[in-house]
Amino acid sequence: MTDPNQPIEPEVTADAANPEAEEQVVEAEVVDEAAADAAPESATPADGAAPAPGDGEAAGDAEVHPDTARADQLQDDYLRLQAEYVNYKRRVDRDLPVHKERAVHDLLESLLPVLDEIHLAEQHGDLPEGSPFRAIADKLEQVLAKQGLERVGVKGEAFDPNVHEALMHGAWDASDTELPSDATATTVVTVLQPGYRAGERVLRAARVAVADPQ
C-alpha cells in the first residue's frame, strides 16, 4: 500500500526519457504556432484550390437583377419606337406635298362638269357681260386658276396627242382666219370640249376636230 505522505513522482514516458525526442516535439509545436501566426487572415486560395465558403455568395451578387434586365429591355423598346417614329415623320414630311397636290387635283377634276356648263352657257350667250351669273362664273374661274387650273384646247394650235383627243378629222378651210396660214402639221380646227390641266398633270384632254393643211 502506498504511503500518502510520500511525494508522487511525475510519470516518465518513453519520450520524456529521451531528451532529444522531447526537444523535437517542442520544436515542431513552435514551428506550427509560428506558421499559424504568420498566415494572413484574408489569404485567398491558390489556383485550383477549393473556393472559400463565401465565394458562392459573391458570385450570386454578380448576377443581373431582374429589374435591371427589365429596364434595359424597356429602354431598347423605347429607342426602337423612337427610331420608327422618326422614320415615319420623315416619310410624312416627304409625301405631304404630293398628297396635297393630289387632293387639289381631285377637287379640280370634280368641278370640271360645272366648268363645262359655264362654257356651254358662254357659247349660247347665256352669260352676258354684267350679269350676276357672269360675275359668279368669272370669280369661280379666277379661284380655280389660283389653284393651277388651266384650260387647254384652242382652235388653230398644232395637234398634241398629250393634251388633245382627236374625235374628228375634217377638211382644211383656208378661208378661216383663225387657222394659221403657215401651218405645216395637223392643226385643231374645232374645239368640241375644252380640256384642263393643273401644273404638269392633264386632268382631261381637249376633245377636238383636226385637219391637215393643204
Side-chain angles (χ1 to χ4, degrees), residues 155-201:
K155 181 179 179 180
E157 64 183 2
F159 174 74
D160 184 358
N162 295 320
V163 296
H164 298 144
E165 180 182 357
L167 300 182
M168 299 175 58
H169 194 282
W172 183 268
D173 187 1
S175 62
D176 192 342
T177 57
E178 295 184 9
L179 298 178
S181 58
D182 56 349
T184 58
T186 302
T187 306
V188 176
V189 295
T190 304
V191 178
L192 304 175
Q193 186 182 44
Y196 293 93
R197 174 173 54 196
E200 299 297 329
R201 178 184 175 185

Side-chain angles (χ1 to χ4, degrees), residues 2 40 55 76 109:
T2 306
D55 291 345
D76 293 340
E109 192 171 0

